[in-house]
Amino acid sequence: MPSFLEALREGYSRDTLRAETPESIAEVAADPAGFIDNLLDPPASLTLPDGSQGAAVPSTTLWYIDGATFLGALYIRHHLNENLEKVGGHVGYAVRPGARGHGYASAMLAQGLDYIRANLPLQRVLLTVNALNPASIRVIEKNGGQHTASIPHIWRPGETALHYWIAL
Ligand SMILES: CC(C)(COP(=O)(O)OP(=O)(O)OC[C@H]1O[C@@H](n2cnc3c(N)ncnc32)[C@H](O)[C@@H]1OP(=O)(O)O)[C@@H](O)C(=O)NCCC(=O)NCCS
């Protein structure tokens, strides 16, 4: 937990569409046990990027760590809904700013795909990525992603979301 908080303060965000704020970090710091409980048993609803409430699909969060050091995390959605079919997909991930450029995202996604093969009844997974995020596009392509579509980003007007499928 201390290392996770350090990552948040370094600029790591749990949501690629929204940065953490001093308040969101203080909330985690004030109740680490509650935060972990939420990770292990996620709530059935969530606040969408436009601030509205939406239903959450079942999900699993996997932390990528080196000993006691938090490096990044994978967010696995067990199935898609109408929003996730457009932006979000089955798998999201992020690496803390200080640990980028060492191949961690590529390794983390490869291990996440193994986790899905072993634990979920999915034959293929959708990953979506902003066209302005070349590092993430590379990570997806290195893991076998096939580009199938480019659509207007539903949460970021004027931007484009690329759709990639990875066969399992
Ligand atoms: C995207 C992100 C996960 C990448 O993490 P990372 O651990 O640095 O990624 P890796 O080191 O595994 O690989 C990055 C690859 O992109 C390449 N890359 C990095 N910046 C690049 C750029 N500007 N243009 C092209 N390729 C780039 C790297 O060279 C590397 O490819 P290589 O292995 O062939 O050399 C990280 O930047 C991050 O957390 N960003 C914020 C959250 C986010 O965008 N998540 C993805 C949402 S879809």
Side-chain angles (χ1 to χ4, degrees), residues 12 16 91-96 99-108 128-130 133-136 138-140 142:
Y12 176 84
T16 51
V91 186
Y93 47 81
V95 169
R96 68 188 287 174
R100 291 179 190 163
H102 297 283
Y104 294 144
S106 309
M108 208 164 75
T128 77
V129 56
N130 194 306
N133 193 344
S136 188
R138 177 86 187 116
V139 167
I140 295 170
K142 277 166 67 180

Side-chain angles (χ1 to χ4, degrees), residues 47-117:
T47 306
L48 295 168
D50 64 2
S52 67
Q53 286 297 303
V57 305
S59 64
T60 301
T61 297
L62 300 176
W63 279 12
Y64 195 70
I65 56 173
D66 178 9
T69 303
F70 172 87
L71 296 173
L74 274 171
Y75 305 97
I76 299 171
R77 269 79 66 165
H78 297 191
H79 59 79
L80 301 176
N81 62 16
E82 206 182 312
N83 284 332
L84 292 170
E85 272 170 14
K86 295 178 188 137
V87 169
H90 289 101
V91 186
Y93 47 81
V95 169
R96 68 188 287 174
R100 291 179 190 163
H102 297 283
Y104 294 144
S106 309
M108 208 164 75
L109 179 57
Q111 291 183 31
L113 296 173
D114 284 342
Y115 174 90
I116 295 170
R117 281 185 196 97

